[in-house]
Amino acid sequence: MNNVNKEIEINAFTFTNKQEFKSIPRTITVDDQRYSFIDSGLRYLVQQGQHLIRLFDMTDGQSVYRLKNEDDQWTLVSIKHV
């Protein structure tokens, strides 16, 4: 596993449930490199009091990317090659 901890840009989202509109990152850009994910991945919610952190484990078919969304800021936490 490669820990990255870099701010990223989300280029596109998809939605898990058309009725609830839960958004999931579909494409990200890190250091001018674009990554597209092939499925909806796993989504985790971590809540401490009023503070909410969303974590996502996404794959492009070759690696698993852990993304964090906190206070409207997106971070690529780690990349794990499979």
Side-chain angles (χ1 to χ4, degrees), residues 2-56:
N2 183 10
N3 290 329
V4 179
N5 289 315
K6 286 189 176 186
E7 189 173 328
I8 59 172
E9 178 182 333
I10 306 296
N11 305 104
F13 287 93
T14 190
F15 298 95
T16 59
N17 184 331
K18 300 298 182 194
Q19 295 173 342
E20 295 179 33
F21 294 108
K22 291 183 179 179
S23 61
I24 292 187
R26 181 55 129 192
T27 307
I28 65 171
T29 299
V30 183
D31 294 335
D32 297 325
Q33 178 76 29
R34 183 172 265 196
Y35 300 94
S36 296
F37 305 121
I38 59 174
D39 64 20
S40 60
L42 297 174
R43 181 176 184 239
Y44 312 93
L45 293 174
V46 179
Q47 185 171 359
Q48 296 175 335
Q50 297 290 353
H51 191 74
L52 183 66
I53 299 171
R54 297 188 308 162
L55 297 171
F56 298 85

Side-chain angles (χ1 to χ4, degrees), residues 55-72:
L55 297 171
F56 298 85
D57 285 344
M58 309 298 293
T59 184
D60 63 359
Q62 299 176 1
S63 301
V64 176
Y65 302 82
R66 172 146 302 169
L67 310 176
K68 178 175 76 170
N69 177 236
E70 181 177 14
D71 300 327
D72 293 327

